[in-house]
Amino acid sequence: MENKEIPKIRAVKRMKEIMTAYYIEAKTARDSGKKVAWITSGGPVEPLIAMDIIPVYPENHGAMIGASKMGVDLCQKAEAMGYAPDLCSYARADIACAPIDGGPIGGLPRPDMLICCNNICGTVLKWYEVQARFFGVPLFILDTPFCHTAFTPEAKKYVLCQIKEYIQFLETTTGRQFDHDRIKEVGRLSLQAQRLWQAVLDMSMNKPAPLSAFDAFFHLALIVTLRGTQIAVDYYQELLAEIRERVDKGIGAIPTERYRLLWDNLPVWYRTKWLSEKFSSLEACLVADTYTSAWCGSLKYINEDNFLDSMAEGYSRIYLNIGIDEMAKEIIGMIDKYQVDGLVMHSNRSCKPYSFGQYDIQRIIREQTGIPSLIIEADMVDERNFSEAQVDTRIEAFMELLGGNKTALAG
Amino acid sequence: MDSMQTFREAVANPLAYAEEYHRTKDRPLMGYLCSYAPEELILAAGLHPFRLFGARGNIHRADAHLQSYCCSLVRGVLEEALAGKLGFLAGVIFPHTCDSIQRLSDIWRLQAITPFHADLVLPVKLNTESAKIYLREVLSRLKSELEAWRGITITEDDLRGAIAVMNRVRRGLQDIFERRSVSPGILSGADLQSIARASFLLDRRELSDQLARIGDDLRGKGNGTVDNGRKRLVLAGGFCDLPEIYGIIEEAGADVVGDDLCTGARAYGGMIDEDKEPLLAMTERYLTRPCCPAKHQGLTGRGEHLLRLVREKEADGVVFTWLKFCDPHAFDYPYLKAFLDQAGIPSLVLELEDQLPGEGQLQTRFEAFIETI
Ligand code: SF4
Ligand code: SF4
């Protein structure tokens, strides 16, 4: 095996600059007279941007806490506050940070308001209630009824009505008028960034894949935090060009790509490097994942000419707000698209709606595509739920099985 | 009291009761898991609402579908289904509450466990006008689904009849719990718990008669004063499947005089206005009855309700209980406890694991708590 050094993605540096500037702006919002809204990762951020309100994402904060390995300490603090260790570790870590300004960036800027969209889970409702009580600020809940098999007309009507309530809430909280022309522009930029993000992810259809899911976990930050701004559009344009260049030069994310895998669920933030090296050493590239693609998965429902209204459907039908059979269908689509050999599922103790149903999805995938899968037991932030030895053994065994399959096919 | 005997038997063996019902009555059984299931609609469709409590312990079939970090109610119900023990069910209705039931519904549908399956995708907010409109429409959709499946029309009279039955059931339960709260000595804790439990299982018409009879029997019993020297506790939390908790607390020297549980007052709380359009009246009950933590009715509604309950029942302390891995309840606990602390009300928390602690061990914990009050 030839072990040439893979050139680093240059945009990484730019991303770090943007994120630093973003957090500095958010932390000094008071001085600049801007308002800060905390919002869930799947929540409609565009109206905030259109109102010049700075959106802050506790889940992104959670990811940073996990990546900086501060999760266990903060989770334990939350447990000392009475929160059960079985609760989502993003929520636990964030709740523990608030009173002590803890975590890698000394706490998030205080919110002026909270925007909670339950299209990802029921946890965010409870988490935001906790923070609304703690900070004493108003909470807006955008309730997106779960789409087990359909997005019903009554659900659509309900969400549409709440989009209006959302705008009213923003007007009342800021004392300013909502700018209906501005939202069109923001909506356009948001869509553009989402399309670019999808195009970046699509680059992994190439063999070898120029970027892996581990890269995607990193470059995701802007589509979560800054979609709807020109900054995000510019960034993803730059990233896309760079990744294209890698494709043209035949540069893969890992030196020798023999296996192409699909990752399911959130990253294991405190072990991304280890996992990335592990898979790489076994010549396996995680070419796609269900997590980072969730931020462009409902593009199909968005109507550029009527962004505000079509948002209702777009935000209701995201990956985590649909039945497991539909999730399996999406995964099968990705397996075909990215030519995947195996599925790696992170059974994430923190995230029940993402993890319950994985066994059934695994079965459906096996029955319909014959693709084998591996389940890794872990947690995205709370390292106490991760056993390196066990995960290591499971990955080795799985790759051996895949190797056998490949040889059998080739023979 | 022969009603009491029926209750005890049904609670001791709910599946046997269901099988007998299935054999002898012409009302197909409709299962449900949560106190937000519209029993009135089920009744009006000519069905018998039967609440599923799940198997305790020895769960292995469900392991093929659900991880170990899922609550024992969801795992236990799936276990019973996969073990073929729920063959008497014509269908199950899944009201949308927590993330775990949400996925159980998907699994249930894909496994085609029962001929009929319906999701009742309730709003999560129960305090806005648009949520109210949506909730009524969701009930209306379920009504149409039941009609299509049964090949019937559920008339307004059918609904009114069912509402009357359920109102009678709830009035009966409220009356018994109220009397018992005033004079705990008139009915043992174990019997009270059996009554609460049985009310999810028994034929609702028969039940409403039985409850009325029990209420009549209790009338005149007891001295009508609260002070009998024993400590008075409120039970708060989620699904409580500790079969003997009332009895154990009694042995430990206190009486349960009120509750905020989904297997208790949250289910029988609130009446339906019989003068209003039925679906609207049902909707209004959901918006005003004590709220489950998976739903939103303001930021401090549940805390205020708990304080009110403790004061109304003149309770000395609160025992919190919920199943391990139950997110909604675990999230609310610190704030509820802070509410109580501020008011100087002592509390104890009991998280129920898959394996129940021994009775003796529990009694010791309760005794220690009661001593501190
Ligand atoms: S990790 Fe899962 S449970 Fe936690 S906030 Fe995200 S979607 Fe919700
Ligand atoms: S006990 Fe909690 S987690 Fe389990 S079904 Fe009930 S609300 Fe959901």
Side-chain angles (χ1 to χ4, degrees):
Chain A
M1 185 208 311
E2 163 189 23
N3 205 351
K4 57 178 184 209
E5 190 62 26
I6 301 278
K8 293 241 173 342
I9 297 181
R10 294 188 304 272
V12 165
K13 190 163 156 274
R14 177 86 189 104
M15 162 71 86
K16 286 184 177 156
E17 288 162 10
I18 296 174
M19 285 307 281
T20 309
Y22 159 71
Y23 272 110
I24 290 175
E25 194 198 358
K27 291 198 104 173
T28 54
R30 284 237 143 56
D31 309 332
S32 54
K34 287 195 177 179
K35 297 234 184 265
V36 170
W38 285 15
I39 181 167
T40 51
S41 66
V45 65
E46 293 83 359
L48 295 178
I49 307 239
M51 295 279 282
D52 253 332
I53 299 167
I54 303 181
V56 164
Y57 295 80
E59 288 156 80
N60 178 255
H61 188 216
M64 290 196 291
I65 290 169
S68 55
K69 302 197 186 351
M70 298 171 94
V72 173
D73 177 54
L74 287 166
C75 285
Q76 279 167 337
K77 286 199 167 76
E79 286 151 30
M81 293 163 81
Y83 293 94
D86 312 309
L87 295 172
C88 165
S89 51
Y90 275 179
R92 270 180 296 148
D94 181 64
I95 289 170
C97 267
I100 56 168
D101 283 334
I105 58 163
L108 288 178
R110 279 182 76 89
D112 297 293
M113 69 197 89
L114 301 168
I115 314 294
C116 170
C117 180
N118 62 346
N119 58 356
I120 46 173
C121 62
T123 283
V124 288
L125 171 73
K126 303 312 294 173
W127 174 5
Y128 277 57
E129 285 176 351
V130 170
Q131 297 300 37
R133 280 189 297 264
F134 179 77
F135 289 108
V137 295
L139 163 68
F140 182 80
I141 300 163
L142 185 82
D143 183 8
T144 45
F146 193 82
C147 308
H148 282 284
T149 51
F151 183 52
T152 61
E154 62 270 21
K156 187 167 181 170
K157 202 174 90 188
Y158 175 42
V159 182
L160 271 172
C161 186
Q162 291 176 82
I163 302 249
K164 298 209 173 65
E165 293 166 16
Y166 180 26
I167 305 294
Q168 277 161 11
F169 170 88
L170 295 180
E171 290 184 329
T172 317
T173 317
T174 58
R176 279 188 282 120
Q177 283 282 307
F178 187 74
D179 184 339
H180 285 271
D181 290 324
R182 180 95 195 277
I183 189 71
K184 286 189 189 128
E185 176 61 10
V186 173
R188 196 185 56 74
L189 288 170
S190 170
L191 276 175
Q192 208 183 338
Q194 289 179 58
R195 287 197 192 103
L196 282 164
W197 177 238
Q198 181 73 65
V200 169
L201 298 177
D202 284 354
M203 286 289 120
S204 278
M205 286 157 65
N206 289 290
K207 290 183 183 177
L211 82 165
S212 74
F214 296 104
D215 297 312
F217 296 157
F218 178 82
H219 294 281
L220 170 76
L222 293 193
I223 199 69
V224 180
T225 54
L226 289 171
R227 67 179 181 278
T229 67
Q230 188 65 44
I231 305 172
V233 171
D234 292 346
Y235 176 78
Y236 287 116
Q237 255 156 2
E238 188 185 317
L239 178 65
L240 182 60
E242 191 187 339
I243 302 293
R244 272 219 178 96
E245 204 182 295
R246 287 166 84 94
V247 172
D248 292 343
K249 291 186 185 151
I251 302 174
I254 66 161
T256 47
E257 175 189 296
R258 205 160 114 83
Y259 306 101
R260 297 168 63 83
L261 306 177
L262 183 105
W263 176 271
D264 179 56
N265 212 309
L266 278 81
V268 183
W269 289 116
Y270 47 87
R271 275 296 197 289
T272 43
K273 185 156 180 288
W274 181 83
L275 279 165
S276 156
E277 286 169 1
K278 181 78 217 167
F279 281 111
S280 178
S281 75
L282 295 164
E283 304 181 294
C285 182
L286 301 185
V287 295
D289 71 283
T290 57
Y291 172 67
T292 59
S293 55
W295 277 270
C296 44
S298 55
L299 267 173
K300 51 184 178 275
Y301 305 114
I302 302 280
N303 172 0
E304 183 149 4
D305 299 324
N306 189 359
F307 183 78
L308 213 47
D309 284 352
S310 61
M311 235 170 58
E313 184 151 6
Y315 278 104
S316 297
R317 303 185 76 166
I318 70 161
Y319 188 68
L320 274 183
N321 211 40
I322 54 177
I324 51 181
D325 39 346
E326 213 177 313
M327 292 167 93
K329 217 184 281 166
E330 298 238 351
I331 295 184
I332 291 172
M334 291 175 82
I335 288 174
D336 291 341
K337 180 173 176 182
Y338 296 100
Q339 309 246 323
V340 165
D341 308 306
L343 177 62
V344 182
M345 302 182 113
H346 168 200
S347 166
N348 181 355
R349 282 184 91 91
S350 266
C351 192
K352 296 180 172 86
Y354 214 150
S355 303
F356 296 164
Q358 274 177 326
Y359 297 168
D360 286 74
I361 292 178
Q362 186 181 33
R363 177 184 46 79
I364 296 171
I365 306 279
R366 191 178 53 236
E367 285 168 5
Q368 296 192 11
T369 68
I371 297 278
S373 48
L374 162 71
I375 294 207
I376 293 176
E377 301 286 342
D379 183 286
M380 68 222 172
V381 163
D382 192 341
E383 220 173 319
R384 288 170 294 178
N385 293 316
F386 185 84
S387 153
E388 190 171 297
Q390 197 188 71
V391 172
D392 190 81
T393 318
R394 301 207 63 175
I395 293 177
E396 295 270 352
F398 181 65
M399 294 313 298
E400 216 163 277
L401 172 96
L402 269 190
N405 282 358
K406 273 229 158 163
T407 321
L409 277 179
Chain B
M1 215 185 290
D2 52 337
S3 296
M4 242 2 279
Q5 199 45 40
T6 323
F7 287 11
R8 287 188 204 114
E9 275 167 24
V11 171
N13 199 344
L15 301 187
Y17 176 84
E19 269 152 23
E20 172 74 14
Y21 196 98
H22 179 59
R23 253 196 321 275
T24 54
K25 310 234 178 182
D26 56 6
R27 271 182 180 266
L29 286 96
M30 179 63 74
Y32 67 98
L33 277 99
C34 159
S35 67
Y36 283 106
E39 292 167 84
E40 300 79 10
L41 259 176
I42 300 174
L43 278 177
L47 305 160
H48 171 54
F50 184 81
R51 187 161 177 174
L52 303 171
F53 293 109
R56 251 291 176 193
N58 199 18
I59 292 174
H60 58 278
R61 290 176 184 86
D63 287 340
H65 300 271
L66 287 165
Q67 286 90 333
S68 58
Y69 48 92
C70 177
C71 82
S72 60
L73 170 62
V74 166
R75 283 161 50 79
V77 169
L78 185 61
E79 181 70 24
E80 271 183 347
L82 296 174
K85 291 186 180 156
L86 303 180
F88 52 78
L89 286 180
V92 174
I93 291 173
F94 292 89
H96 193 270
T97 42
C98 67
D99 294 337
S100 309
I101 293 191
Q102 167 184 304
R103 289 302 179 206
L104 176 67
S105 164
D106 281 341
I107 294 168
W108 201 278
R109 177 169 51 83
L110 293 179
Q111 293 290 310
I113 291 173
T114 45
F116 180 82
H117 169 283
D119 288 303
L120 184 75
V121 191
L122 301 168
V124 76
K125 289 185 283 191
L126 297 179
N127 60 347
T128 69
E129 194 51 35
S130 55
K132 177 177 172 181
I133 294 169
Y134 171 66
L135 175 45
R136 195 193 162 284
E137 286 171 345
V138 166
L139 290 174
S140 168
R141 171 175 296 272
L142 178 65
K143 175 170 166 282
S144 310
E145 284 176 10
L146 286 167
E147 287 174 331
W149 169 59
R150 298 269 286 153
I152 54 164
T153 308
I154 300 174
T155 65
E156 190 161 325
D157 278 349
D158 295 335
L159 268 172
R160 286 187 191 285
I163 286 174
V165 172
M166 285 314 300
N167 267 350
R168 206 164 164 241
V169 165
R170 294 197 182 103
R171 203 175 299 118
L173 287 165
Q174 287 165 12
D175 178 53
I176 293 170
F177 273 77
E178 188 47 42
R179 286 178 193 288
R180 206 284 182 163
S181 169
V182 175
S183 313
I186 60 176
L187 186 71
S188 75
D191 278 350
L192 187 71
Q193 194 171 8
S194 292
I195 292 172
R197 266 258 170 151
S199 68
F200 300 114
L201 309 172
L202 301 184
D203 182 276
R204 300 300 192 271
R205 277 163 225 276
E206 293 170 16
L207 174 71
S208 66
D209 292 338
Q210 285 156 332
L211 291 172
R213 262 202 307 279
I214 295 177
D216 285 343
D217 283 347
L218 294 181
R219 199 161 304 156
K221 278 194 191 167
N223 55 11
T225 59
V226 168
D227 190 13
N228 62 350
R230 286 164 63 84
K231 295 292 180 222
R232 299 166 59 80
L233 299 180
V234 159
L235 265 180
F239 177 82
C240 181
D241 69 342
L242 196 61
E244 309 297 347
I245 192 161
Y246 281 72
I248 300 173
I249 290 179
E250 221 165 68
E251 291 285 304
D255 295 308
V256 177
V257 295
D259 79 88
D260 181 26
L261 297 173
C262 42
T263 45
R266 273 209 297 285
Y268 66 70
M271 303 295 282
I272 298 178
D273 190 337
E274 297 186 26
D275 295 330
K276 287 196 175 156
E277 189 274 317
L279 291 185
L280 179 67
M282 285 171 61
T283 302
E284 286 177 349
R285 172 174 173 266
Y286 281 142
L287 302 183
T288 48
R289 59 153 257 213
C291 183
C292 148
K295 299 284 169 216
H296 178 86
Q297 233 174 25
L299 292 173
T300 51
R302 296 196 65 236
E304 284 149 19
H305 173 72
L306 184 57
L307 273 187
R308 215 168 25 238
L309 185 68
V310 169
R311 294 193 171 128
E312 216 175 85
K313 304 290 175 195
E314 299 180 33
D316 305 295
V318 172
V319 174
F320 287 102
T321 178
W322 66 82
L323 300 184
K324 186 167 169 62
F325 305 118
C326 172
D327 292 351
H329 283 284
F331 264 116
D332 264 6
Y333 164 68
Y335 117 77
L336 293 177
K337 178 171 187 303
F339 254 66
L340 295 179
D341 287 351
Q342 249 162 33
I345 300 158
S347 61
L348 172 79
V349 56
L350 186 71
E351 199 187 48
L352 298 173
E353 309 244 358
D354 254 0
Q355 280 308 317
L356 289 178
E359 256 184 53
Q361 197 190 331
L362 273 176
Q363 192 171 324
T364 317
R365 275 185 71 185
F366 285 130
E367 275 166 7
F369 173 61
I370 291 164
E371 262 169 39
T372 65
I373 299 178

